[in-house]
Amino acid sequence: MSDTQRTADKRVERSKAKVLAETYRQLTETGLSGVSIDEVSRVSGISKATIYRHWRSRSELLIDACSRLGGPQEAPDTGSLRGDVRALLTHLASQLQTAAWSSVYPSIIDAAERDVEIGAMQSTLHRTFMSPFHKVIERARTRREIHSDRAATELIALLVGPLFYRRWFSKEKLDKRYIDSLIKSVLDEG
Amino acid sequence: MSDTQRTADKRVERSKAKVLAETYRQLTETGLSGVSIDEVSRVSGISKATIYRHWRSRSELLIDACSRLGGPQEAPDTGSLRGDVRALLTHLASQLQTAAWSSVYPSIIDAAERDVEIGAMQSTLHRTFMSPFHKVIERARTRREIHSDRAATELIALLVGPLFYRRWFSKEKLDKRYIDSLIKSVLDEG
Amino acid sequence: MSDTQRTADKRVERSKAKVLAETYRQLTETGLSGVSIDEVSRVSGISKATIYRHWRSRSELLIDACSRLGGPQEAPDTGSLRGDVRALLTHLASQLQTAAWSSVYPSIIDAAERDVEIGAMQSTLHRTFMSPFHKVIERARTRREIHSDRAATELIALLVGPLFYRRWFSKEKLDKRYIDSLIKSVLDEG
Amino acid sequence: MSDTQRTADKRVERSKAKVLAETYRQLTETGLSGVSIDEVSRVSGISKATIYRHWRSRSELLIDACSRLGGPQEAPDTGSLRGDVRALLTHLASQLQTAAWSSVYPSIIDAAERDVEIGAMQSTLHRTFMSPFHKVIERARTRREIHSDRAATELIALLVGPLFYRRWFSKEKLDKRYIDSLIKSVLDEG
DNA sequence: CAGTAAACGAGACGGTACGTCCCGTCTTATG
DNA sequence: CATAAGACGGGACGTACCGTCTCGTTTACTG
C-alpha cells in the first residue's frame, strides 16, 4: 500500500528522471556552481515549480545528481594484493583523466567546505569510491599478505593520496610508469 | 617617464589595495564563488567602474587576490631530511586545519578545472607552497642522505598527497601520530 | 440508483457548501482578487479538482459566492414615503460603513467592467439591494404621495447616488445629519 | 547643482517614461490588477531591476501611472451656475462613457479599500476631477446665485453622485435628457 | 599656481538566476 | 463515480549579481 502510494503517479518518475538527467549533464560540463535551475527547467521541459516540489532546494537537487556520479565499484581479484592494487590504481588513474566525476569532484569538495549536507554526500561518495580498496585489503589480510597492523585507511591514503595530488595539485602525469613506482614505494617498504 | 607611468597615480594604488583587501576577506570567508563584486564595491567604497578599470574581469581580480594566499614559505633546516620533513609536514598539517587558504583551495582547484588562467595561478600557488619541500630534498641530496634517483616530485607526492587526501577526501585526523606514521612509511622503505 | 444519487448529491452539497463558505470568508476579507482557489481548497479541505468540477472557473465560483452578499432585503413601512426613505437610507448608510459587502463591492464593479458574467451578477445584486426602495416608492405612488411622473430609478439615483459617492469617492461622513439634509434636498424640491 | 544632479542621467527619464507609458497602457486596458511588471518590462524593453530601482514596489508604480489618469481639468464659464453645471455634467457623462479612466476607476477604489497609499492617490485624483465643480460653485456664490448655506461638497454629491451611480451601479443611460432632469431636480428645489 | 587629463563614486542599465505563489488541468487511488 | 491528494506547465513576483555604461566631481601632474 505504501508501496503503491510511493510509486503512485508515473509523471513523478518521469519528471524526476528528466530533471536529474539534465542536472547531471550540466553538472559534468560546468561543475556544481554551473548548474542553473532555470536552465535545467528550460532544457528538460519540467517547470521550476515541479523541480522545487521534488527537491526542497538547489542544494538538494545537486546532492541527488552528484550521488549518481559514483556507480557501484567492483573490486578486482587477481589473487595477490599487489595485483589487486595495480588493477585498482590503474583504473583510478584512468578515471581521473577521463571520467566526468573527476572534473566535478573539486566543486563538490569546495561546496562541502561550507555545506554540511553536501559534506555528508561527499563522504558517502568517497566511501563508495574507496570500498573496492577496503575489500582487497581485507582479502589480503585474510590471506596473511599483510603483516603490519597499519589501518586500512592509512594504506589507502598512501596509495590514492599521491594520485589525487598529481591529478589536481601538481598536475603531473598519471601513467603506468608512475603507478608502478607508487606501488613499489608503498608496498615494498621495509 | 617610465617612472611616472609606473607610479602613475597614488589613487590607483589606494583603490587597488582596498579592493584586494576586501576581495581577500570575502575569498577566505566564502571561497571563490562567494566573492561578489557588488559587495566588494560596497564594503571597500571603491566603485564597480573603478574595479573593472583595474581588473578586466571578476576572474582576474580573483586570481590577483588568490595570489596573496601563499606568502613566501620558509624551509626549515634541522640538519636531517627526516627532521626537515617532520617540520614541514607538521606545519602543513597545522595549516590544513586552521589556515584560511585550506578552505579556499578546493574552490581554486574547481575553477582551474575550467579556466586556464586560474589554472596557471593555481600552478604558481602550488609551486610556492611546495618550494620548501624541494629545498630540503635538494639539501638532503647534497648531503647524500638520499641515494635513490627517485624524482623529488615523486617523493613530495608520497609525503603531501596522503595529507591532502585526509584533509579534503577522507576527512580523517591529521595529528602528530599520523604524521610520524606517514614519515615512517615513506622514508623507511627498503 | 436513486439511492446512490441521493448519497452522491449529499456529498456534492457538502462540498459546495464548504467551498462557498470559505470563498465567502476570503471574499469579505480581501475582496474578489484576494480569493485564492488553492487557499480555499486548503482551508475547506475540498480538493481543487472537486472545486473545478462544481464551478467551471474561478470567476464562476466568485460569482456564486458574491450572490450571497445580498440577502433578501426588507422594506420598512412607516406610513409615509419620507419615513420609509429615512429608514432605508439610515440602514444603507450604516451598512456602507460596517457591512462586509461594502468593502467588496468595488472589486465586483471592477471585475464587471471586463467580465460580462460578473456584470450580470452585479446587476442581480444591485436589483436585490434596491428592491426595498422600489417597494416604498411604489407604495407611495399608490398612496398618491408622489405626483411627479419621474421614474422610480431616477428618484433612487438621487437618493443613493450621493451616499455611494460619499462612501467610495469623496470619503465624507455618512451621519444622521447628512441623511436628513439629503432627504430634504431630494424630497422637498419644488 | 542639486538641479543638475536631479536631472543627471538622461537614461533615467527615458526608462521612467517608457515604463510609465506601458504601465498606463495596461492599466487602461485591464485595470490595476491586470498590470504585470514582467509584461511591462518585456514590452517596454526596460529590465525589471530598473523598474524596481525607480519604484519601490508594484503599488508605487501603479500609483504613479494612475496619477496620469487625471490631467488638469478646466472649469467652464457660461455666466450662470446652471450653464456651468450643465457643461460640467455633460462633459463628465461623456467621459464616464468613453474615457479610459472610467473603466479603471473602480479598480482604484477597490485597491484603495485595502491600501492606504492607493487611498491617498485616489483622494488626490478625486480632488483633481472635482476641482472644476468647486470653482463654478465658488463663482456662483460670489455672484449671489446660491443663497443656501449648503456646503459645496453636498451640492457636488447631489450632482455627480447620481451620475456615478448610473455609470457603475444601475448601468442606466447617461444621455442629455437625464442630465437635464438631474439638473432640474437638484437646482430647482424649493 | 592654473589648466587639464585621468581617476573616481554613484549608480543606471539589460540580462539572468533565484525560490515562491497561484491558476487551471491532469492523474491516481480510495471509499 | 465523487472525492482527496497532489503533480504538472505556465507565468508573475521581488531580489541579487554581473559587466557595461554615463555622468559630474575630485585629484594629481604639468606647463
Side-chain angles (χ1 to χ4, degrees), chain B residues 131-189:
Chain B
S131 82
F133 282 89
H134 280 99
K135 268 181 210 148
V136 304
I137 289 171
E138 188 62 28
R139 214 188 288 132
R141 218 185 283 278
T142 310
R143 282 196 305 254
R144 314 257 169 197
E145 258 189 290
I146 295 178
H147 308 105
S148 92
D149 54 351
R150 188 164 55 185
T153 58
E154 288 193 21
L155 183 54
I156 292 173
L158 281 171
L159 288 166
V160 305
L163 239 54
F164 286 173
Y165 170 80
R166 284 170 76 107
R167 166 63 177 86
W168 287 305
F169 294 80
S170 74
K171 297 175 184 171
E172 294 166 273
K173 269 191 305 189
L174 294 176
D175 53 12
K176 193 177 179 327
R177 205 200 59 71
Y178 178 68
I179 291 169
D180 284 341
S181 159
L182 175 61
I183 291 172
K184 194 158 170 289
S185 297
V186 175
L187 296 187
D188 290 355
E189 54 180 325

Side-chain angles (χ1 to χ4, degrees), chain D residues 57-117:
Chain D
S57 66
R58 189 174 169 280
S59 252
E60 220 168 73
L61 171 59
L62 291 177
I63 287 170
D64 210 347
C66 283
S67 307
R68 317 231 150 171
L69 283 171
Q73 305 288 317
E74 285 174 32
D77 191 354
T78 62
S80 74
L81 175 62
R82 182 177 292 260
D84 288 351
V85 163
R86 172 167 288 112
L88 283 172
L89 291 189
T90 303
H91 181 241
L92 180 56
S94 150
Q95 291 243 304
L96 282 172
Q97 283 164 322
T98 61
W101 68 260
S102 103
S103 74
V104 179
Y105 213 91
S107 69
I108 297 176
I109 293 176
D110 174 39
E113 205 68 36
R114 273 163 285 275
D115 182 325
V116 284
E117 297 189 13

